[in-house]
Amino acid sequence: VIAKMRNLVKDIQGVRIGISQMGIFSRSSGGKTVVLQVRGKDLNEIQKHVTVLEDKLNSINGVLDANTSLDIRNPEYRIQIDRERAARLGLSVRSVAETVETLVGGKSVSLYRSGGDEVPITLRGNPDAFHDVEHIREILVYTPSGTPVRLGSLIQIDEGLGPTQIQHLNMD
């Protein structure tokens, strides 16, 4: 079965594929668990190959219950900063990105110490303001001269789906 799987994936471009047999114990069905790992930098490319591979693997005689752990159903916003516009206003891409990251995800800014206890102090925007793209576009960022600029005039927001979980392999 592994030889058939290797032959199936040998010509696939754009991702790295590894095949390995897991453990020494047989499953209750009498077979062994084989893992096929698809790795790459482009999640859409990985998803495309995984979908095709899952169907092809299930068609191999001897393969039962081929399935994927890749689950792309998590709504997400992808924000692209207009570098030229930001630069004309004296803003760096980094400062705009850090502003958005702080408002949406929060940033630890200090510790409150009392009686031996330490409590982190986190700066964060109102979480209710980030469920809607229009609210994100209305966020104000300030130029070095103190002029407020609507974030929507500096960014492009694309709504999409991302993974519900990311598995990091071979990381110590």
Side-chain angles (χ1 to χ4, degrees), residues 16-170:
R16 292 180 317 174
I17 298 176
I19 300 173
S20 59
Q21 189 167 336
M22 299 299 292
I24 59 173
F25 299 102
S26 296
R27 293 180 14 171
S28 60
S29 64
K32 305 265 187 219
T33 299
V34 177
V35 174
L36 185 136
Q37 295 176 347
V38 180
R39 299 179 188 185
K41 293 183 180 181
D42 183 342
L43 195 56
N44 292 325
E45 188 77 11
I46 293 171
Q47 176 66 44
K48 178 179 80 174
H49 291 300
V50 165
T51 301
V52 171
L53 283 171
E54 188 174 7
D55 291 339
K56 287 184 178 182
L57 289 172
N58 278 314
S59 71
I60 295 176
N61 189 20
V63 173
L64 300 173
D65 301 325
N67 59 53
T68 179
S69 63
L70 182 60
D71 185 5
I72 300 181
R73 294 180 294 160
N74 192 36
E76 67 180 13
Y77 298 129
R78 294 180 198 105
I79 297 176
Q80 297 219 338
I81 300 167
D82 181 337
R83 294 174 180 270
E84 290 178 17
R85 172 129 170 82
R88 282 194 308 269
L89 294 169
L91 295 165
S92 69
V93 169
R94 181 179 184 168
S95 69
V96 175
E98 285 177 350
T99 299
V100 173
E101 185 177 351
T102 299
L103 288 170
V104 175
K107 178 179 182 180
S108 180
V109 293
S110 186
L111 286 173
Y112 172 75
R113 292 181 179 92
S114 175
D117 291 332
E118 291 184 348
V119 178
I121 298 173
T122 303
L123 178 63
R124 175 178 301 134
N126 180 355
D128 294 333
F130 308 116
H131 296 293
D132 182 321
V133 174
E134 291 311 313
H135 285 112
I136 294 172
R137 286 188 175 106
E138 294 300 320
I139 292 171
L140 294 177
V141 293
Y142 292 86
T143 66
S145 66
T147 305
V149 177
R150 269 186 348 100
L151 187 60
S153 71
L154 296 171
I155 62 170
Q156 171 71 35
I157 301 176
D158 296 316
E159 295 180 68
L161 296 174
T164 55
Q165 163 183 332
I166 296 176
Q167 295 178 354
H168 297 278
L169 303 172
N170 297 330

